[in-house]
Amino acid sequence: QVQLVQSGGGLVQAGGSLSVSCTDSGRTFSTSAMAWFRQAPGKEREFVAGLRWSGSTNVYYADYADTVRGRVTIFRDNAKNTLNLQMRSMTSEDTAVYYCAARYHSNVISAIPRDYDYWGQGTQVTVSS
């Protein structure tokens, strides 16, 4: 059974840092496109960051939403089968439930939630002012 199990998150003060992680089991997504999305109350789920593997260069490439670019880092630890999101200089606008997602047959990063085949259970991140 394929699963994405999330950990991390929680409460952080404005200006602080926080990380969330996602561990894949059942199959590895090390060469698939993976991403983090978030959904704030009353809002649609939005793309935060994505990661894809390039077999031609053996390098991971990342893409970020403009709202988080420069404050967020997405990376994968293949030794632990985890996808990680590190966030810093956080504001109340970052408060949301964060979800990791993976595509099964594609290595293209998409900002569209329906393009992803697997999802984590969601992790609450709350930034207090």
Side-chain angles (χ1 to χ4, degrees), residues 58-118:
N58 289 336
V59 172
Y60 279 108
Y61 291 91
D63 191 19
Y64 299 94
D66 289 341
T67 53
V68 302
R69 194 183 308 274
R71 301 190 297 115
V72 166
T73 301
I74 184 173
F75 66 97
R76 183 169 174 89
D77 183 343
N78 285 327
K80 299 179 180 179
N81 285 341
T82 59
L83 179 73
N84 303 282
L85 187 72
Q86 292 181 337
M87 299 175 283
R88 50 194 176 274
S89 301
M90 299 181 73
T91 73
S92 58
E93 297 296 311
D94 296 317
T95 295
V97 176
Y98 284 70
Y99 297 91
C100 65
R103 302 187 74 173
Y104 189 70
H105 283 302
S106 175
N107 194 30
V108 176
I109 298 172
S110 172
I112 302 173
R114 66 174 180 270
D115 286 342
Y116 290 81
D117 304 292
Y118 298 97

Side-chain angles (χ1 to χ4, degrees), residues 2 8 10 20 28 30 33 35 38 40 44 49 51 54 59 68 72 79 83 85 91 96 107:
V2 178
V20 288
T28 178
S30 61
R38 66 186 181 186
E44 293 187 353
L51 195 70
S54 170
V59 172
V68 302
V72 166
L83 179 73
L85 187 72
T91 73
N107 194 30

Side-chain angles (χ1 to χ4, degrees), residues 26-49:
R27 65 155 283 176
T28 178
F29 291 97
S30 61
T31 58
S32 301
M34 297 191 73
W36 286 97
F37 287 79
R38 66 186 181 186
Q39 188 165 17
K43 295 186 178 181
E44 293 187 353
R45 192 166 298 190
E46 65 172 1
F47 174 82
V48 176

